[in-house]
Amino acid sequence: MARILIIEDNPVNMKLAAFLLQNAGHEVLQAVDAEQGMQVAHDMLPDLILMDMQLPGIDGITATRQLKTDAATAQIKIIALTAFAMSGDEERFRAAGCDAYMAKPIRYQAFLSLVDAMLKA
């Protein structure tokens, strides 16, 4: 299936997302902060990135902007996974370059459906 990079600093959220993706047959790459995630993205060129927006150090918005302005990673689809679910948050993340948005806590079926849709897009 696909190679998917999860950039997430919460171990419980990381474990859940990785479990769901692996059970769906995907190869999962993991990073616990934006710096590590951007390096993995450059080295491994995943098919999709799941980006937490609240990360230590560089936040997810800044990391997304950097990945989308780099020719090597600009075409990688990015899904914002975040606890931010206020009015205007989705627009803010899309403006930064995220291709899709999902609020936490994730709903399993909706999560897998969104991943599939982004991989087919």
Side-chain angles (χ1 to χ4, degrees):
M1 295 288 294
R3 177 182 292 167
I4 301 174
L5 170 59
I6 306 168
I7 305 174
E8 170 65 66
D9 64 323
N10 180 300
V12 173
N13 292 340
M14 175 72 83
K15 188 173 183 176
L16 174 60
F19 174 79
L20 292 171
L21 294 169
Q22 288 167 340
N23 278 350
H26 300 293
E27 176 186 351
V28 175
L29 307 170
Q30 300 179 16
V32 297
D33 60 36
E35 293 89 345
Q36 182 186 31
M38 289 187 292
Q39 186 63 55
V40 172
H42 281 258
D43 293 346
M44 303 299 291
L45 298 174
D47 301 299
L48 179 66
I49 297 173
L50 305 177
M51 177 79 72
D52 182 18
M53 292 291 110
Q54 285 185 283
L55 293 165
I58 297 173
D59 65 20
I61 291 176
T62 303
T64 297
R65 284 188 185 121
Q66 290 180 11
L67 288 167
K68 289 296 188 172
T69 58
D70 184 324
T73 55
Q75 299 305 312
I76 301 171
K77 300 281 186 196
I78 299 176
I79 298 175
L81 288 180
T82 181
F84 288 121
M86 301 299 289
S87 177
D89 285 337
E90 180 174 1
E91 293 78 17
R92 190 165 51 103
F93 302 140
R94 286 186 180 272
C98 291
D99 300 286
Y101 164 90
M102 177 163 280
K104 294 178 191 173
I106 60 173
R107 296 181 335 268
Y108 307 154
Q109 203 61 296
F111 171 73
L112 292 173
S113 293
L114 179 58
V115 166
D116 287 342
M118 294 306 301
L119 291 171
K120 291 176 184 167

